[in-house]
Amino acid sequence: MDSRFADMLRPFLKYAGGAEITLESSLRDLGLDSMQAIELLFAIEDTYQVSLPDELLTDTTFATAGSLWAAISGARQC
Amino acid sequence: MREAVLDADARAVWASLGRSGVLSRDRPAEVLRSLLPSLDAQYSLGIVLSVCVQIATALPILRSHGPSGVVGRVSAEAARGEVVLALAATDAGAAGSDLMDLTTSARLSEDRVVVDGGKRWITNAVTADCALVLARHRPQRHFTSFLWVLVPLDAPGVTRESAGSLFSGAGVGHLTFSGVSVGRDHVVGAPGRGLAMFARHVATERLAGALWASALCRRVLADTRRVLAARPLGSGVAWDNAVVRDRFARGLVEARRVEALCSSFREGELVDSMVVKVAVAESVDRVLAVCAELLGAESFADGGVAGLRAEAAMFGVAGGASGALLAGVADHADYLLGGAR
Ligand SMILES: Cc1cc2nc3c(=O)[nH]c(=O)nc-3n(C[C@H](O)[C@H](O)[C@H](O)COP(=O)(O)OP(=O)(O)OC[C@H]3O[C@@H](n4cnc5c(N)ncnc54)[C@H](O)[C@@H]3O)c2cc1C
């Protein structure tokens, strides 16, 4: 997970405070609501110039920082 | 003059806009900015609503699919004004403010989509040829569980019902889908992107509402000003009276507030769009209340301001109810105060 990704996530996670965001961090527990999840998707697709494939548009992709990062990494290799 | 156009047909207005080429432009906000004052001046609130929903949201969502297949074909026909669209998000099974809990389902198989459920309070429901239907293709309560499907409204299993006599010309009504089966090529964009696509375009719909409200306030204030300048009161006319002028001035201040909101609108900014929509709804109501009061009994005539005020209350409901939007505004308080999201 690159530091740019953690920096991008932080503003969407209202309960993250100054704590470190790790691969295991649960995005929902850290405060990612549905509207913010949509905005996060837009931010990811703009920043990394990727389009998450249909099969990865699921709740499990958005479960943790690690699962989301894995989806982005996969999409960047396509 | 306004009475003559109150009976105009929304389909004919849409067709003539299509023929003019304006619907083929891909910057809906700019198109609406230039069109809304003249639409508002010529047509009833219902007809403007019918056109607005299509330009601001339905057409852009269709267009985002690209030109291929049946969706591309319908998108081109709609842009030529040959096909009237409805955008059906508000669900029979859930509060309109809570799309995440909507129950209308889309069962996907290899080559078909089967839609079951219902939509309520949908503009153009009783007049449209096709509806873009927001439906759930997965049970999870997550934004990726939804898709848009294009449903021809003459398909077997579709029923429609008028929502009543308000908003004449808008064809507002309720839709029911009972085992409606269409080809899988009727899915608009990718399954899983339904709510994200809506979010991309709903801010434009809210800007459209603000631009429209601005034109409407200006027109009604100008009409009211003319009446006051001609209406005898005491030894002069109503406009000479200090109290009348003060009340009118308050209406003007509200109208300028709406104009200022329109020009500060950052396109595509969802949080801003919630703030603007709440503020605009409040200001429109204040402007129309002032004008109705100043016009007295006249405002209750057919096509008068009192009736318009009742319909214009929809600025605080359609496309997001003010209470729900305020909850969203509060959620983003820190961001709106200049902090992180
Ligand atoms: C003229 C008109 C045209 C319309 N056209 C369309 C259309 O073309 N397509 C479409 O999909 N829909 C359309 N709608 C429906 C509209 O979008 C919904 O009415 C709207 O989203 C509100 O939903 P609701 O009516 O179910 O009210 P609810 O969501 O049930 O809200 C009822 C009340 O509860 C408040 N409330 C709800 N949630 C919260 C919360 N979290 N916090 C605080 N208060 C809350 C609301 O502010 C409101 O006062 C139209 C409606 C009208 C009136």
Side-chain angles (χ1 to χ4, degrees):
Chain A
M1 184 166 88
D2 71 13
S3 62
R4 187 166 61 141
F5 181 58
D7 291 343
M8 178 197 286
L9 279 178
R10 193 172 296 281
F12 294 94
L13 306 176
K14 52 180 170 284
Y15 305 132
E20 189 191 355
I21 296 171
T22 67
L23 290 173
E24 289 72 38
S25 299
S26 159
L27 300 182
R28 183 172 294 195
D29 290 351
L30 291 179
L32 186 73
D33 66 26
S34 53
M35 188 171 132
Q36 287 170 324
I38 293 174
E39 292 186 50
L40 175 59
L41 172 69
F42 295 156
I44 289 168
E45 297 195 333
D46 288 348
T47 306
Y48 292 98
Q49 294 290 302
V50 291
S51 178
L52 292 189
D54 300 1
E55 65 276 13
L56 290 180
L57 282 173
T58 63
D59 55 339
T60 43
T61 297
F62 284 79
T64 63
S67 58
L68 191 51
W69 177 244
I72 297 167
S73 307
R76 286 169 86 188
Q77 280 156 24
C78 292
Chain B
M1 187 195 95
R2 281 188 64 71
E3 264 143 47
V5 291
L6 285 176
D7 289 334
D9 172 349
R11 179 178 286 274
V13 174
W14 184 245
S16 92
L17 288 172
R19 280 194 300 275
S20 76
V22 74
L23 304 178
S24 303
R25 295 200 216 136
D26 61 1
R27 302 290 306 264
E30 278 169 25
V31 170
L32 287 160
R33 215 177 264 281
S34 68
L35 273 184
L36 274 165
S38 71
L39 288 176
D40 173 71
Q42 291 180 76
Y43 302 114
S44 67
L45 181 140
I47 289 182
V48 184
L49 176 62
S50 162
V51 168
C52 242
V53 167
Q54 295 185 79
I55 296 182
T57 332
L59 258 182
I61 288 179
L62 269 191
R63 204 171 269 142
S64 66
H65 180 89
S68 64
V70 64
V71 175
R73 177 173 56 73
V74 172
S75 168
E77 287 168 353
R80 292 196 298 270
E82 295 161 7
V83 159
V84 173
L85 301 167
L87 182 100
T90 305
D91 207 84
S97 307
D98 185 16
L99 291 178
M100 202 65 80
D101 280 329
L102 69 80
T103 57
T104 297
S105 65
R107 263 178 299 124
L108 291 171
S109 66
E110 203 142 296
D111 59 346
R112 307 295 295 171
V113 190
V114 179
V115 182
D116 279 287
K119 297 286 172 181
R120 60 192 170 85
W121 289 98
I122 305 303
T123 303
N124 297 335
V126 296
T127 45
D129 303 292
C130 294
L132 273 160
V133 178
L134 186 65
R136 172 185 290 286
H137 68 295
R138 289 200 199 106
Q140 286 83 0
R141 197 177 187 284
H142 193 258
F143 84 90
T144 52
S145 297
F146 305 91
L147 53 71
W148 286 102
V149 55
L150 184 66
V151 177
L153 291 179
D154 58 359
V158 177
T159 51
R160 13 182 172 187
E161 181 201 339
S162 168
S165 57
L166 275 181
F167 313 107
S168 164
V172 178
H174 315 306
L175 297 167
T176 312
F177 308 100
S178 177
V180 177
S181 175
V182 292
R184 172 125 189 181
D185 54 358
H186 286 63
V187 173
V188 180
R193 282 191 185 264
L195 275 187
M197 286 161 81
F198 195 34
R200 273 257 193 247
H201 300 290
V202 82
T204 308
E205 187 178 294
R206 290 176 185 159
L207 171 62
L211 292 165
W212 177 13
S214 174
L216 186 148
C217 289
R218 187 177 273 264
R219 168 175 61 79
V220 176
L221 281 164
D223 289 349
T224 304
R225 166 88 174 81
R226 265 192 299 278
V227 172
L228 296 174
R231 174 182 289 172
L233 184 67
S235 57
V237 292
W239 184 249
D240 300 332
N241 181 291
V243 177
V244 167
R245 292 162 72 94
D246 176 81
R247 279 151 85 190
F248 186 88
R250 286 174 198 284
L252 259 182
V253 169
E254 288 296 338
R256 289 307 293 266
R257 227 193 280 278
V258 175
E259 281 172 28
L261 285 164
C262 290
S263 45
S264 68
F265 197 101
R266 288 176 287 178
E267 223 184 298
E269 249 290 351
L270 213 49
V271 182
D272 269 8
S273 78
M274 298 195 288
V275 175
V276 169
K277 185 161 190 297
V278 172
V280 163
E282 289 179 357
S283 289
V284 172
D285 191 57
R286 282 190 206 127
V287 169
L288 296 181
V290 162
C291 293
E293 253 175 53
L294 291 174
L295 292 169
E298 276 307 303
S299 63
F300 295 96
D302 286 344
V305 175
L308 178 63
R309 187 181 173 203
E311 291 188 329
M314 65 112 204
F315 281 102
V317 178
S322 292
L325 295 180
L326 282 171
V329 168
D331 282 346
H332 291 81
D334 292 336
Y335 170 61
L336 287 164
L337 291 169
R341 278 192 118 74

